[in-house]
Amino acid sequence: NPLEITVGARFSRDTVDVTGQTISSCLTSAVFPTIASFENEESFTAITPNASIRYQWNDNLSTYFSFSTGYRPGGFSTNLVGTQSFDEEKAKSYEIGFKSSWFNRRLQLNASGFILNYEDIQVTTAQVVGGGTAVVLAVENAATARSIGSEIGIIALPFEGLRLDAQYGINDARFTDFTDSPFGDLTDRRLPNAPLHTFSLTAEYQHPDEVFPGYKAFVRAEYSFKSGFSNLLDPSLLTFDSYDVTNFRIGLRGQNFTITAFVENAFDEVYSTGSTSLTAAGLAGVPVNVDVGPTRRFGVVAKERF
């Protein structure tokens, strides 16, 4: 039967509890006295249905449409000012696409488009407290957000031993309603950690003949690109440039054992992957610690499969 329909649902129940005590140091005790031991608990339940329809037009082409829902349980943020709760996050996803193969399966072309809608999306924000003397982080619920994008993948086998794999994605992810953020109205601002473009290309050649009994030699090159992004709620405060990384690998591959020599970030690209610190949510004028990606690395890896 070329038509395939799948329907399902998942029931989830999560209980989140937090227990502890906020202790202020001598530097903050005047503004934030030690808070007595606290204990909070809350349960979250959800039913998340999903459905998909797939049609196999012939041996080389199929199309599909899927609908799915998801949720992330709420919880608690604990900081100098005590404990704050936040609600669960809900999402609905719609995806349409096709999968195809050509030239006796030596070329595969797949593509999809999707829309992902969030409700009460959980975001980390920075809050000025103690009359402006300190900044604390807390998880809050923004109203709604939407992610619209597409992915295209191509796998080619031009001749024996050579495999080429290219993947491209575009994702426009924005708040659709976030008028009461700590930075004012962020409606239509891009979501944190959501680059617009991503691209990867992998080329691997494995020699068809054994160089040692049971082992074949291979070489592999990997390239990846990520466009600029921000991991702060307000991207006007701090953004990270686009970057690309190239890796090379060479090795021997057997049925159960593989040994590989590699150089990663071969051209020693200097790039930032985001920021982490107490001020990761980024208030104007507050320092932010920036995470830097690994520099050029060499090594050898051996893997045994049992």
Side-chain angles (χ1 to χ4, degrees), residues 60-74:
N60 299 315
L61 176 64
S62 66
T63 55
Y64 68 91
F65 171 79
S66 66
F67 166 76
S68 60
T69 58
Y71 106 111
R72 179 186 298 176

Side-chain angles (χ1 to χ4, degrees), residues 11-90:
F11 173 77
S12 303
R13 178 179 175 85
D14 296 274
T15 300
V16 180
D17 62 78
V18 58
T19 303
Q21 184 181 39
T22 299
I23 301 176
S24 297
S25 68
C26 61
L27 297 177
T28 61
S29 58
V31 179
F32 303 105
T34 296
I35 298 174
S37 297
F38 53 81
E39 182 174 355
N40 290 288
E41 179 179 305
E42 191 167 352
S43 294
F44 303 89
T45 60
I47 298 176
T48 50
N50 61 81
S52 66
I53 181 170
R54 177 177 177 270
Y55 192 83
Q56 188 75 41
W57 298 91
N58 52 50
D59 291 341
N60 299 315
L61 176 64
S62 66
T63 55
Y64 68 91
F65 171 79
S66 66
F67 166 76
S68 60
T69 58
Y71 106 111
R72 179 186 298 176
F76 302 93
S77 291
T78 302
N79 49 46
L80 287 174
V81 295
T83 302
Q84 301 170 262
S85 63
F86 54 91
D87 295 331
E88 67 268 29
E89 173 185 313
K90 300 177 182 179

Side-chain angles (χ1 to χ4, degrees), residues 121-239:
I121 185 171
Q122 297 168 3
V123 292
T124 301
T125 65
Q127 302 173 353
V128 178
V129 294
T133 59
V135 177
V136 298
L137 294 185
V139 177
E140 295 184 1
N141 295 97
T144 58
R146 175 174 295 163
S147 177
I148 302 177
S150 179
E151 296 178 348
I152 299 175
I154 300 175
I155 299 176
L157 308 173
F159 53 83
E160 184 180 5
L162 179 63
R163 176 188 172 98
L164 304 175
D165 188 339
Q167 305 288 330
Y168 169 73
I170 182 171
N171 180 20
D172 187 16
R174 298 177 181 273
F175 292 110
T176 53
D177 182 9
F178 195 11
T179 58
D180 57 350
S181 83
F183 308 102
D185 188 357
L186 293 186
T187 300
D188 204 40
R189 290 289 186 94
R190 293 189 56 81
L191 293 183
N193 300 307
L196 182 61
H197 302 284
T198 57
F199 175 74
S200 67
L201 176 63
T202 301
E204 179 175 308
Y205 177 73
Q206 178 173 284
H207 198 281
D209 299 325
E210 295 180 350
V211 294
F212 297 106
Y215 291 91
K216 295 182 178 181
F218 69 91
V219 292
R220 179 182 176 96
E222 305 163 348
Y223 172 84
S224 62
F225 167 84
K226 179 183 288 188
S227 63
F229 66 99
S230 175
N231 72 338
L232 308 182
L233 275 181
D234 187 352
S236 66
L237 300 177
L238 178 65
T239 58

